[in-house]
C-alpha cells in the first residue's frame, strides 16, 4: 500500500498538470459539499441543508477548471476565479463557497511571484471581493460570510508569501552549499597543483645537480682510465657517491606521493644552509673551484626559506658547471641584511656552453618560483666583463613564522 502511495506521489510531482487537476477536483468537491449547507436564518450557529442554484454550480465548475492551469498563468487564473467569485458574491442567496477557488489562485500568485506583486494583487482581491459582498450582496454588510471572504483571501496571500520565502531560503542555502563545495574543490585542486609544482622543482634540482656531477666525474674517469687508474677510481667513487645521494633525495621526494597505506617514506630532514659545506664539497670534488663567504652566523631561518636558499645555491652552481666552462670559478656569499638574507652566486665563466637561460631548461624558472613563493626577489643575468650572476633576497621571517612568535598581536 505504501509503495503504491509513494509511486503515485512521485508520478504527480513529475506531472504538475496532473497534480493541479487532482487539486482542482478536490477543491470542486469541497465547494459543492459546502454549497449544500447554509446557516439557519434565525440562528447563525445552527446549519440547514439546501439545494444550490444552477448558476452557483456552473460558477464552481468554472473556478475549479481554471485552477488546473494555475501554474502556467497564475495571474490569469486569479482573474477568472476572482470574477466567478465576484458574481457569486453578488447573486448567490444563500451564497456558495465559490471564493475558495480564488483563495487557491491567490495563494499560487503569492508563492510564484515576488512580495510587491503579492501585496498589490492581494489587497486588490481582498478589497474587490469583500467590498462587493458587503455593498452589493443580499446579506448585511456585517455578515460573517463577508468577513470570512476578507479573512480567507488574506490567509491565502500570507500563506503563499510564506511558501515563496521558504523556497527562496532553501534555494539560497543550497546555492551557498554548492558554492562552498566548488570553492573547496578549487582550493584542493590549487593545493595539488602547487604541491606538484614544488615536487617538480625538487626533482629538477636533485636530478640536475647530481647528474651533472655524475657526468663530469664519468668524463674524468674515462679520460684518465688508461694513464692514471688511481684518479679514475677516485672519480668513479665520486660518481657512486653522487648517484647514491641522488637516489636518496629522489626517494625522499617521491615518498611525498605515497598513500597512507604505502610503506613509510624516509624522514630525513630537508637540506638547508647547514649543509652548504657538504654541497660545495661535491662541486669541488668534481674539479670546480668554489669560494664561500658567509655573514649570516646566528641567523635561524624558517624551514621553507632555508630550503629555498640551499636550492638556489645548488641550482646556480650546477648552472656554473654546465654552462660556464671547465675553468670557471664560482663565488658564493650568504649575507644577513636587516630583515632579509641575500644569496649571491657569481662566476667568471666564458659562457662557451651558453647562459643558463638560453638552454630552454627550467632551472632559473624553478629558482624564481621558489623565491617568489616566499615573497622574495630573484635577479639573474650576465656580468659585465663575462660570467653570470644570481642574486636572491629572501625574508628571514615569513608571514607564518611572524604570526607564530609570542607577543605578536592576534
Amino acid at each position: 500500500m505504501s509503495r503504491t502511495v509513494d509511486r503515485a506521489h512521485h508520478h504527480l510531482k513529475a506531472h504538475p498538470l496532473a497534480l493541479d487537476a487532482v487539486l482542482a477536483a478536490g477543491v470542486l468537491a469541497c465547494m459543492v459539499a459546502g454549497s449544500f449547507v447554509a446557516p439557519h436564518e434565525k440562528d447563525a450557529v445552527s446549519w440547514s441543508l439546501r439545494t444550490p442554484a444552477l448558476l452557483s454550480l456552473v460558477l464552481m465548475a468554472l473556478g475549479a477548471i481554471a485552477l488546473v492551469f494555475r501554474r502556467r498563468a497564475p495571474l490569469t487564473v486569479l482573474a477568472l476565479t476572482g470574477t466567478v467569485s465576484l458574481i457569486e458574491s453578488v447573486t448567490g442567496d444563500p451564497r456558495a463557497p465559490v471564493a475558495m477557488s480564488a483563495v487557491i489562485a491567490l495563494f499560487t500568485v503569492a508563492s510564484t511571484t515576488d512580495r510587491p506583486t503579492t501585496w498589490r494583487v492581494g489587497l486588490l482581491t481582498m478589497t474587490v471581493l469583500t467590498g462587493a459582498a458587503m455593498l452589493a450582496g443580499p446579506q448585511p454588510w456585517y455578515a460573517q460570510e463577508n468577513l470570512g471572504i476578507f479573512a480567507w483571501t488574506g490567509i491565502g496571500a500570507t500563506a503563499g508569501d510564506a511558501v515563496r520565502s521558504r523556497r527562496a531560503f532553501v534555494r539560497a542555502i543550497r546555492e551557498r552549499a554548492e558554492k562552498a563545495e566548488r570553492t573547496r574543490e578549487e582550493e584542493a585542486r590549487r593545493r595539488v597543483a602547487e604541491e606538484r609544482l614544488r615536487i617538480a622543482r625538487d626533482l629538477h634540482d636533485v636530478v640536475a645537480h647530481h647528474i651533472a656531477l655524475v657526468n663530469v666525474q664519468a668524463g674524468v674517469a674515462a679520460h684518465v682510465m688508461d694513464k692514471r687508474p688511481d684518479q679514475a677510481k677516485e672519480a668513479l667513487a665520486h660518481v657512486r657517491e653522487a648517484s647514491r645521494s641522488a637516489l636518496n633525495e629522489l626517494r625522499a621526494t617521491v615518498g611525498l606521493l605515497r598513500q597512507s597505506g604505502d610503506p613509510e617514506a624516509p624522514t630525513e630532514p630537508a637540506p638547508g644552509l647547514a649543509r652548504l659545506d657538504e654541497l660545495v664539497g661535491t662541486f669541488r670534488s668534481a674539479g670546480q673551484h668554489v669560494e664561500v663567504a658567509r655573514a649570516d652566523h646566528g641567523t635561524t631561518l624558517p624551514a621553507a626559506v632555508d630550503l629555498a636558499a640551499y636550492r638556489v645555491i645548488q641550482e646556480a652552481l650546477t648552472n656554473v658547471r654546465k654552462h660556464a666552462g671547465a675553468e670557471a670559478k664560482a663565488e658564493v656569499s650568504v649575507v644577513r641584511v636587516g630583515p632579509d638574507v641575500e644569496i649571491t652566486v657569481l662566476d667568471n665563466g666564458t659562457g662557451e656552453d651558453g647562459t643558463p637561460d638560453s638552454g630552454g631548461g627550467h632551472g632559473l624558472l624553478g629558482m624564481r618560483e621558489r623565491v617568489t613563493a616566499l615573497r622574495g626577489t630573484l635577479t639573474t643575468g650576465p656580468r659585465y666583463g663575462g660570467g653570470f650572476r644570481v642574486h636572491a633576497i629572501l625574508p628571514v621571517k615569513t608571514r607564518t613564522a611572524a604570526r607564530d612568535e609570542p607577543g605578536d598581536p592576534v
Side-chain angles (χ1 to χ4, degrees), residues 10-81:
H10 289 304
H11 178 75
L12 290 176
K13 287 190 67 176
H15 301 82
L17 189 63
L19 179 61
D20 290 338
V22 173
L23 175 64
V27 172
L28 179 61
C30 292
M31 290 190 297
V32 172
S35 65
F36 282 91
V37 180
H40 199 273
E41 295 180 359
K42 296 182 180 180
D43 186 5
V45 179
S46 60
W47 300 81
S48 60
L49 295 176
R50 67 180 180 89
T51 301
L54 179 60
L55 179 60
S56 298
L57 293 175
V58 172
L59 294 176
M60 285 185 288
L62 292 176
I65 293 174
L67 291 178
V68 177
F69 308 97
R70 67 188 185 95
R71 297 178 192 264
R72 297 186 177 182
L75 291 175
T76 302
V77 171
L78 177 60
L80 293 175
T81 55

Side-chain angles (χ1 to χ4, degrees), residues 241-292:
E241 183 64 26
S243 61
R244 183 186 295 113
S245 299
L247 288 175
N248 290 335
E249 293 202 32
L250 282 173
R251 188 179 297 111
T253 303
V254 175
L256 298 174
L257 302 176
R258 298 178 187 271
Q259 301 296 327
S260 58
D262 291 341
E264 184 178 357
T267 57
E268 182 181 355
L273 292 181
R275 296 175 56 183
L276 180 57
D277 292 338
E278 177 184 346
L279 174 66
V280 173
T282 61
F283 285 96
R284 287 172 177 168
S285 64
Q288 182 174 330
H289 183 76
V290 182
E291 296 181 358
V292 179

